[in-house]
C-alpha cells in the first residue's frame, strides 16, 4: 500500500484513536514518524511508542500508546497538518508560530532535524512547519 502523505496518515490515525479512546494505534514505520512519536512522547501527548518487527508483517510497525487523563480526559485536543505535499509552508527563525498562545506545539523540520517550535526558537532555526498539536 502506497501512502501519498505519511504525516497526514499518522495524524489521522492518532486523531481517530483519540476520539474513540483506543489504548494503542499501529502504523507503518518510517524515520519521520519515529521522530514525531519521540517528540510527542517528550511533550507528554502520548504515553509511549515502540517499533515492532514481525516475520508475518512485510513492514515494521510503529505502535503508539495513547495518553489520557485520570477521568478519560483527552490529552491531545487537536492535530492539524500545516505543510502539505501540494503546498509547502516554510518559516524563518523570526516567524516561528506559537500554537494556541504557547499551549500547543508546532513540529518544525529544520536542517538540524525535526523539533518543536520552542527548540527551533532556542537554536535560531527556521524550516518547514509540519503540523500543530494542542
Amino acid at each position: 500500500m502506497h501512502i501519498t502523505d505519511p504525516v497526514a496518515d499518522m495524524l489521522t490515525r492518532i486523531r481517530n484513536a483519540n476520539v474513540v479512546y483506543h489504548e494503542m494505534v499501529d502504523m507503518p514505520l518510517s524515520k519521520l514518524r519515529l521522530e514525531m512519536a519521540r517528540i510527542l512522547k517528550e511533550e507528554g501527548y502520548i504515553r509511549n511508542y515502540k517499533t515492532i518487527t514481525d516475520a508475518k508483517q512485510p513492514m515494521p510497525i510503529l505502535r503508539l500508546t495513547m495518553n489520557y487523563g485520570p477521568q478519560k480526559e483527552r490529552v491531545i485536543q487537536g492535530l492539524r497538518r500545516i505543510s502539505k505535499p501540494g503546498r509547502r509552508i516554510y518559516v524563518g527563525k523570526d516567524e516561528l508560530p506559537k500554537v494556541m498562545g504557547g499551549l500547543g506545539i508546532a513540529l518544525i523540520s529544520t536542517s538540524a532535524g525535526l523539533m518543536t517550535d520552542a527548540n527551533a526558537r532556542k537554536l535560531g532555526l527556521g524550516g518547514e512547519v509540519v503540523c500543530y498539536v494542542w
Side-chain angles (χ1 to χ4, degrees), residues 11-12 14-15 40 76-81 132-134:
L11 296 177
T12 300
I14 292 172
R15 189 179 302 115
L40 290 175
I76 297 174
Q77 298 295 316
L79 302 153
R80 181 177 295 150
R81 178 79 159 115
Y132 292 163
V133 182
W134 66 93

Side-chain angles (χ1 to χ4, degrees), residues 9-28:
D9 177 63
M10 178 181 185
L11 296 177
T12 300
R13 287 174 191 244
I14 292 172
R15 189 179 302 115
N16 289 344
N18 197 36
V19 166
V20 294
Y21 296 104
H22 277 193
E23 189 66 29
M24 290 179 283
V25 61
D26 292 345
M27 62 197 72

Side-chain angles (χ1 to χ4, degrees), residues 62 69 105:
L62 175 64
I105 62 168

Side-chain angles (χ1 to χ4, degrees), residues 39-56:
I39 292 171
L40 290 175
K41 182 178 189 279
E42 282 178 4
E43 296 293 322
Y45 288 105
I46 62 172
R47 188 172 299 142
N48 206 352
Y49 67 94
K50 66 179 178 178
T51 58
I52 299 169
T53 52
D54 190 359
K56 297 176 192 172

Side-chain angles (χ1 to χ4, degrees), residues 9-114:
D9 177 63
M10 178 181 185
L11 296 177
T12 300
R13 287 174 191 244
I14 292 172
R15 189 179 302 115
N16 289 344
N18 197 36
V19 166
V20 294
Y21 296 104
H22 277 193
E23 189 66 29
M24 290 179 283
V25 61
D26 292 345
M27 62 197 72
L29 178 67
S30 72
K31 289 180 185 177
L32 180 62
R33 287 179 174 176
L34 191 61
E35 275 301 299
M36 288 177 67
R38 181 188 62 77
I39 292 171
L40 290 175
K41 182 178 189 279
E42 282 178 4
E43 296 293 322
Y45 288 105
I46 62 172
R47 188 172 299 142
N48 206 352
Y49 67 94
K50 66 179 178 178
T51 58
I52 299 169
T53 52
D54 190 359
K56 297 176 192 172
Q57 296 288 332
M59 211 174 184
I61 292 174
L62 175 64
R63 177 169 287 166
L64 305 180
T65 306
M66 301 298 288
N67 194 10
Y68 302 103
Q71 264 84 45
K72 286 280 221 179
E73 303 96 1
R74 291 182 177 95
V75 173
I76 297 174
Q77 298 295 316
L79 302 153
R80 181 177 295 150
R81 178 79 159 115
I82 302 301
S83 185
K84 299 174 181 162
R87 183 166 187 245
R88 300 292 183 182
I89 307 295
Y90 296 95
V91 294
K93 64 178 183 177
D94 300 326
E95 306 158 348
L96 287 167
K98 282 200 178 223
V99 181
M100 303 293 280
L103 296 176
I105 62 168
L107 294 180
I108 312 290
S109 178
T110 67
S111 57
L114 192 68

